[in-house]
Amino acid sequence: MDPTNGPVVSLLNEIADILEITGTDRFRPIAYRRAARTIEALPKSVSDYIADGSIDELPGVGEAISQKIREFVGTGKLDYIEKLRKGIPPGLLELLNLQEVGPKTVGRLYMELHITSLDELQRACEEHRVRSLKGFGEKTEERIQQSIQFYRGSSTRFLLSKGDEIAADLLKHLSGMSGMMAAAGSLRRRRETIGDIDIIVVSSEPDSVMDRFVSYPDVSVVYSKGETKSSVMLNSGLQVDLRVVEEKSYGAALLYFTGSKDHNVELRNLAIGKGLKLNEYALTRRGTDEFVAGRSEKDVYDALGLQYIEPELREARGEIDAAAAGKLPVLISEKDIKGDIHCHTNWTDGSSPIESMIDAAAERGYAYIGISDHSKSSKITKGLSDEQMEKQIGRIEKINASGKYDLRVLCGSEVEIHPDGKLDYDNDLLSRLDYVIGSVHTRFNMEKDEMTGRLLTAMSNDYLTVLGHPTGRQIGTRGSYTFSAEKVFDTAREKRVLLEINGSPERLDLNDQLIIEAAKHDCKFVLNTDAHHFTSLSNMKYALSMARRGWLTANDAANTQGYSEFLKIIA
Ligand code: DGT
Ligand code: CA
Ligand code: CA
Ligand code: ZN
């Protein structure tokens, strides 16, 4: 999606949600969603289509809808949605964030049980009033209750990608103030979610830095503004802490505020054992307070007799012992990645043509890219029928034969794993693909044994190359399905199935802990983006963040190999 179109897509979907909740009309919500999908798939900004008048000719965008888009893009507001919003209780839309709850359900909860907020829904579940609705039952009520818990537990943290976006913009805003500044904290450690953003700036003029900081346009509340520390809240609800430090303390401060807290505690204890003292200003000699190190992190680690420890490893998971023994892994990094094999195109639910995906992969210097559109039973994604799949294989053969590109294009598929573990295409067709990613997108709530069996059956198919987003979780909205990681990892090793590290920002699946687990089982990995637009190939950095937090080296991943080696692995 062209990123500038995001607000229009959200707007159209919100209109559809409200119309569906209030149930005034069956067809208009469908029309708005259809228009939203069209806008989402546009290669250029909506304003370009408004400018040349072609907006009215887009599929699904009739006069009524295009009028509203014009008003919204032109003025930043839309009367119609304001009215719609006023027509329902303000707490109602939040219910849509629950995994088990769509607009129809919200509508019924509102009309039939007069529920208007998350709190009221929770109470209604506790009092077993929800199960009394026609077609709901005990199971549904339990699942709604679980998703409330899940939503509440995760909604105060933010996606790493959101943190990156905001930190980059904020650092740009501050860029004139100092040549030395960085985002520290969990963002720098690349945790999957962040609680807030911590920024360190070197400056001898803290006042002007703080003035500039609180003038950031997105600030909604200034909590505190001092000489060395200020804190603000942004409109998104994200808090930012900024600290100004002296140049000779930059390393010590960065180290301290990068954390993790547990890593810091271990470091401090190590320092004490050596007759030293470590704090956010410096590493000093105890007793005399003589300055030992502090200008850079490396200086501090050096002085403590440690290898430099990458921020992703600073979680008190044995990294300090490994650094003392000189045994830290050389972590996998951006330059090691030779290709990306989980990519969707406009043949299914992606919004870029195959050629744009290839261009973007070439731009990144890859040796290969794999196209893996959805398979036939996935109706909502327009999964490819057998015939369409055949056609795509032919198309990609042609592209490779054309000699137009330096990199090789692989034709794969992201194939549905059916509830019984069977794959969505028959083996004849699977055998004609370069590789097969098997993914679970349905029946997430199977019992543990059943789900484990489902995954093992899928992996026992010799054509399965990769287990896609192995846990199915979506951060903040859906937890992992339950399965035995032990058994799945053992089978992956035996059957030589690669485990995906999916870098799609709301997936990050496998996560760091499971990567560490799987690596103990000698599994091999592949880092992918699951891109649905050519710009999303840049999400490889998130797959890398998880892999690095999981202590992986280039050797642990298949797609660090050149084309011919990679082919051998997936053969
Ligand atoms: P978050 O924000 O919840 O995602 O996680 P962090 O790790 O960014 O934590 P935050 O923002 O509370 O603090 C940033 C870093 O500052 C933290 O990783 C370590 C350091 N820090 C904060 N409070 C303490 C403390 O009481 N003791 C020590 N040793 N370090 C601390
Ligand atoms: Ca933080
Ligand atoms: Ca903080
Ligand atoms: Zn998928």
Side-chain angles (χ1 to χ4, degrees):
M1 173 167 70
D2 185 308
T4 59
N5 293 341
V8 178
V9 173
S10 310
L11 174 86
L12 296 173
N13 280 324
E14 188 182 342
I15 294 175
D17 285 340
I18 299 179
L19 290 174
E20 213 172 335
I21 288 171
T22 50
T24 34
D25 186 319
R26 270 181 53 209
F27 298 105
R28 274 193 301 157
I30 299 173
Y32 278 99
R33 283 196 213 288
R34 182 151 171 251
R37 279 198 304 275
T38 300
I39 304 293
E40 203 169 4
L42 293 179
K44 291 183 300 178
S45 171
V46 170
S47 42
D48 294 351
Y49 297 83
I50 293 176
D52 68 12
S54 58
I55 179 110
D56 302 295
E57 289 146 36
L58 296 172
V61 184
E63 203 191 313
I65 295 181
S66 84
Q67 276 304 337
K68 295 188 177 79
I69 296 176
R70 283 172 204 269
E71 181 182 335
F72 181 68
V73 172
T75 66
K77 286 196 314 229
L78 179 65
D79 258 359
Y80 180 63
I81 188 114
E82 306 294 339
K83 284 202 193 100
L84 283 179
R85 282 178 188 147
K86 282 200 191 104
I88 58 167
L92 215 48
L93 287 175
E94 191 181 12
L95 303 185
L96 291 172
N97 294 320
L98 302 175
Q99 221 261 305
E100 294 291 329
V101 175
K104 282 216 181 63
T105 307
V106 174
R108 290 195 54 200
L109 292 167
Y110 175 44
M111 309 300 182
E112 296 174 43
L113 295 176
H114 311 291
I115 285 166
T116 63
S117 69
L118 204 55
D119 282 337
E120 288 178 16
L121 179 57
Q122 179 156 3
R123 206 167 329 122
C125 285
E126 284 158 9
E127 292 166 1
H128 300 318
R129 283 184 283 130
V130 173
R131 66 176 64 170
S132 67
L133 287 183
K134 194 160 168 251
F136 272 55
E138 216 172 301
K139 265 252 153 84
T140 311
E141 187 178 82
E142 269 168 30
R143 280 210 293 274
I144 290 178
Q145 224 166 348
Q146 280 165 4
S147 44
I148 294 175
Q149 265 176 12
F150 191 81
Y151 172 71
R152 289 226 147 112
S154 46
S155 58
T156 51
R157 297 186 65 84
F158 289 75
L159 290 181
L160 177 60
S161 57
K162 181 85 184 163
D164 272 353
E165 209 178 282
I166 292 175
D169 198 52
L170 237 169
L171 289 175
K172 206 169 97 198
H173 175 79
L174 295 170
S175 62
M177 309 306 299
S178 167
M180 290 168 97
M181 59 173 108
S186 50
L187 183 81
R188 182 156 179 256
R189 301 200 311 280
R190 313 302 291 158
R191 267 192 72 177
E192 61 189 37
T193 59
I194 56 158
D196 67 3
I197 295 181
D198 305 280
I199 291 182
I200 313 293
V201 179
V202 171
S203 175
S204 49
E205 290 168 44
D207 288 350
S208 45
V209 173
M210 296 310 186
D211 286 345
R212 179 79 184 157
F213 176 54
V214 299
S215 78
Y216 183 59
D218 199 35
V219 167
S220 66
V221 187
V222 177
Y223 286 133
S224 65
K225 182 166 176 257
E227 268 278 291
T228 56
K229 182 184 169 185
S230 296
S231 282
V232 301
M233 173 68 86
L234 304 180
N235 288 316
S236 52
L238 189 61
Q239 184 181 326
V240 186
D241 298 339
L242 181 137
R243 287 169 183 92
V244 174
V245 301
E246 285 180 62
E247 186 169 349
K248 73 175 193 339
S249 290
Y250 186 48
L254 202 52
L255 191 59
Y256 183 91
F257 293 110
T258 294
S260 66
K261 206 167 160 178
D262 293 340
H263 178 84
N264 289 353
V265 168
E266 285 190 20
L267 271 188
R268 245 190 339 262
N269 288 337
L270 182 74
I272 290 169
K274 292 180 188 284
L276 301 166
K277 196 177 100 190
L278 179 62
N279 59 25
E280 62 264 53
Y281 304 106
L283 181 69
T284 52
R285 214 161 294 287
R286 268 212 313 207
T288 66
D289 281 346
E290 180 199 345
F291 179 92
V292 176
R295 205 165 281 273
S296 76
E297 289 183 323
K298 191 173 171 304
D299 288 353
V300 177
Y301 282 121
D302 268 350
L304 290 170
L306 300 174
Q307 285 179 289
Y308 175 76
I309 301 175
E310 300 279 1
E312 293 92 332
L313 297 181
R314 300 182 195 169
E315 297 290 350
R317 290 173 176 164
E319 70 277 9
I320 292 179
D321 286 345
K327 288 191 171 145
L328 282 176
V330 178
L331 296 182
I332 186 170
S333 69
E334 190 107 37
K335 65 175 182 346
D336 297 319
I337 300 293
K338 302 281 166 32
D340 184 343
I341 64 160
H342 191 159
C343 298
H344 298 275
T345 73
N346 60 2
W347 286 53
T348 60
D349 64 343
S351 45
S352 303
I354 297 176
E355 287 77 5
S356 310
M357 301 303 284
I358 302 174
D359 286 337
E363 184 89 358
R364 296 180 64 79
Y366 286 161
Y368 45 90
I369 176 171
I371 302 298
S372 59
D373 269 315
H374 290 281
S375 64
K376 62 184 171 188
S377 75
S378 178
K379 301 290 184 228
I380 35 169
T381 64
K382 300 189 286 160
L384 302 180
S385 67
D386 291 359
E387 295 73 33
Q388 288 170 312
M389 190 68 249
E390 293 278 0
K391 210 171 133 199
Q392 197 182 52
I393 293 171
R395 174 70 166 277
I396 288 175
E397 274 169 6
K398 265 213 189 103
I399 289 175
N400 280 318
S402 74
K404 227 178 110 190
Y405 299 97
D406 285 337
L407 79 176
R408 305 295 301 180
V409 186
L410 296 163
C411 185
S413 172
E414 182 181 18
V415 177
E416 294 298 305
I417 298 176
H418 291 174
D420 64 2
K422 292 220 177 69
L423 301 183
D424 200 24
Y425 292 130
D426 65 26
N427 284 348
D428 269 357
L429 183 50
L430 293 178
S431 74
R432 309 214 21 241
L433 295 167
D434 291 317
Y435 65 93
V436 175
I437 300 174
S439 295
V440 167
H441 294 125
T442 55
R443 293 275 315 275
F444 298 109
N445 47 16
M446 287 166 87
E447 302 292 333
K448 182 172 181 180
D449 288 348
E450 223 186 338
M451 185 59 93
T452 306
R454 178 180 184 180
L455 296 172
L456 298 195
T457 304
M459 285 193 280
S460 72
N461 184 316
D462 286 336
Y463 293 108
L464 191 86
T465 329
V466 177
L467 185 59
H469 41 74
T471 80
R473 67 98 171 247
Q474 300 217 320
I475 299 171
T477 53
R478 184 169 76 213
S480 161
Y481 34 77
T482 42
F483 66 99
S484 159
E486 195 75 30
K487 285 186 187 153
V488 166
F489 295 161
D490 277 336
T491 309
R493 182 194 53 238
E494 278 161 31
K495 299 281 180 187
R496 300 196 191 194
V497 170
L498 300 171
L499 297 174
E500 182 173 68
I501 301 174
N502 187 303
S504 176
E506 64 288 348
R507 287 196 183 274
L508 306 184
D509 184 6
L510 297 172
N511 70 3
D512 51 355
Q513 271 154 347
L514 285 170
I515 292 169
I516 291 173
E517 239 359 86
K520 279 189 199 144
H521 287 75
D522 286 325
C523 291
K524 222 167 160 92
F525 304 86
V526 60
L527 280 62
N528 288 326
T529 61
D530 203 348
H532 284 69
H533 187 266
F534 71 88
T535 54
S536 304
L537 289 187
S538 64
N539 286 336
M540 186 58 79
K541 65 172 176 285
Y542 296 110
L544 279 162
S545 294
M546 290 306 109
R548 289 167 65 85
R549 287 179 58 82
W551 291 57
L552 297 192
T553 66
N555 250 331
D556 294 311
N559 54 327
T560 55
Q561 302 298 316
Y563 180 64
S564 52
E565 275 307 304
F566 185 71
L567 279 192
K568 279 184 215 155
I569 296 174
I570 63 175

